[in-house]
Amino acid sequence: MRYDVSVIGLYILDILGRPVSRIPERGNVDFIEEIRLTVAGTAGGTVIDTAKLGLKSLAVGAVGDDEKADWVLLTLEKHGADVSAMQRLPGIPTSATILNVRPNGERPALHVRGASDHFDVPASAYDQVFDAPIIHLGGTGLLKKLDGPASLTLLKEAKRRGRTVTFDLIAASPETLAIVGPLLPYIDYFMPSIEEAHDMSGQSTAEDCARFYLDRGAEACVFTLGGDGAFYAHKDGTRLKSPAYEVKVVDTTGCGDAFDAGFITALHHKMDLETALRFAQAAAGLVATGLGSDAGIHSFAHTLDVMKTWKVKG
């Protein structure tokens, strides 16, 4: 196959500043320590990180026809992602977010939905898009055109071709379940944050949330628990909780996307389950040490070293 992973979905330009404790009054200026631009989104952040981790990664999404699109495509290519399946949509802005990162790590956001709302995967692109053993769909909830029946068609085709499907979402609410529910029988690894899993299911514990989604067809659930680590549940009854690493957190933007990338990379390398979770946690922990969704991750070897040497929370 041409690729190790095909990453479909939400691509965003993030503009981040830290630390922001207040917005200046009138037209005044406050000074902060750092401003960064990153490719983000539940697909964009993930494909950057899989590429950094050494996987042949196909980026599948949409940008607009503006200066932000130029930067997004250039940055994807710089990190080694293949952008030949990215759509450039005329007359539409690239999806973008301004994130004011507070000293405590909170990050209130201002978002332009833009091109990701107009993105779909035509059947004519299937041979390229599915030319990878792992298909990641990221960003359900903010993909207006792709959400719903189009995503179901996409994942059915992925499974028809024998692909492993990983899945993450964004902006989850009880209403999002109507979009996600029909997809679950075609998802091998359902990978939301525990907050998203709670919000959609109405369940209280990680175990209850997992049972909710497994009963509706998911093969396995892999929930990120923030500072509490990660939780894995398989329909065969396997359960495993992996603790987080002790990390000095700068910004949690993109940690879930990095976890997804780490887990996908672990699947590619056929790591055992415990090692896969540890590697994914290391990738997420690295991103938390800097500003933006691609901070901290340098290479597969570096992340593997971090996994082996960092201390886990006791």
Side-chain angles (χ1 to χ4, degrees):
M1 292 186 182
R2 279 182 284 177
Y3 310 104
D4 299 320
V5 62
S6 180
V7 184
I8 307 167
L10 184 64
Y11 284 77
I12 297 173
L13 170 65
D14 271 2
I15 305 161
L16 308 101
R18 64 167 288 272
V20 178
S21 55
R22 70 184 188 108
I23 302 300
E25 297 178 358
R26 303 190 305 277
N28 295 337
V29 175
D30 276 357
F31 297 99
I32 58 176
E33 296 176 11
E34 189 177 6
I35 294 174
R36 282 199 73 210
L37 278 68
T38 65
V39 177
T42 326
T46 299
V47 81
I48 287 277
D49 292 336
T50 57
K52 282 187 167 188
L53 291 169
L55 270 60
K56 291 179 288 184
S57 304
L58 179 67
V60 186
V63 292
D65 188 20
D66 53 18
E67 75 291 342
K68 297 186 292 295
D70 296 337
W71 191 90
V72 167
L73 296 174
L74 180 66
T75 302
L76 287 167
E77 288 186 293
K78 181 180 75 174
H79 289 297
D82 187 319
V83 300
S84 60
M86 289 292 293
Q87 301 168 19
R88 187 155 187 163
L89 307 179
I92 296 171
T94 299
S95 302
T97 305
I98 296 173
L99 291 144
N100 298 288
V101 183
R102 292 172 173 155
N104 66 359
E106 292 177 348
R107 50 189 199 281
L110 301 170
H111 181 67
V112 173
R113 294 184 64 128
S116 292
D117 266 355
H118 302 267
F119 163 67
D120 195 0
V121 182
S124 60
Y126 281 3
D127 285 346
Q128 181 183 17
V129 169
F130 293 123
D131 200 6
I134 301 172
I135 306 299
H136 181 73
L137 176 57
T140 295
L142 281 182
L143 299 168
K144 188 174 181 181
K145 188 174 181 181
L146 188 64
D147 283 346
S151 287
L152 183 58
T153 298
L154 193 71
L155 296 193
K156 281 183 175 180
E157 181 64 18
K159 296 310 297 177
R160 188 187 72 80
R161 295 182 183 225
R163 307 307 186 239
T164 296
V165 173
T166 61
F167 179 93
D168 199 357
L169 62 150
I170 196 167
S173 68
E175 292 72 31
T176 313
L177 184 62
I179 301 171
V180 173
L183 307 179
L184 290 169
Y186 306 95
I187 295 171
D188 295 289
Y189 298 96
F190 181 58
M191 304 176 69
S193 70
I194 190 61
E195 292 83 6
E196 291 164 334
H198 284 319
D199 290 346
M200 280 198 304
S201 69
Q203 304 299 306
S204 55
T205 67
E207 173 61 37
D208 289 342
C209 286
R211 178 52 53 196
F212 180 91
Y213 298 111
L214 294 173
D215 286 348
R216 285 159 176 77
E219 183 81 9
C221 294
V222 191
F223 299 147
T224 52
L225 310 178
D228 292 326
F231 177 78
Y232 173 93
H234 193 276
K235 68 179 184 181
D236 67 5
T238 302
R239 300 290 187 271
L240 184 63
K241 185 173 179 181
S242 180
Y245 288 100
E246 292 184 359
V247 175
K248 185 178 179 181
V249 175
V250 172
D251 172 33
T252 59
T253 302
C255 287
D257 306 332
F259 181 93
D260 293 347
F263 195 82
I264 289 165
T265 302
L267 291 176
H268 170 77
H269 287 281
K270 296 180 170 52
M271 296 179 187
D272 63 80
L273 176 58
E274 184 175 0
T275 305
L277 291 174
R278 299 256 32 86
F279 187 83
Q281 287 287 99
L286 281 167
V287 165
T289 64
L291 183 63
S293 59
D294 66 344
I297 293 179
H298 301 296
S299 67
F300 175 77
H302 175 251
T303 307
L304 197 63
D305 184 60
V306 162
M307 180 192 78
K308 294 175 179 177
T309 58
W310 273 7
K311 289 179 60 178
V312 298
K313 290 185 176 180

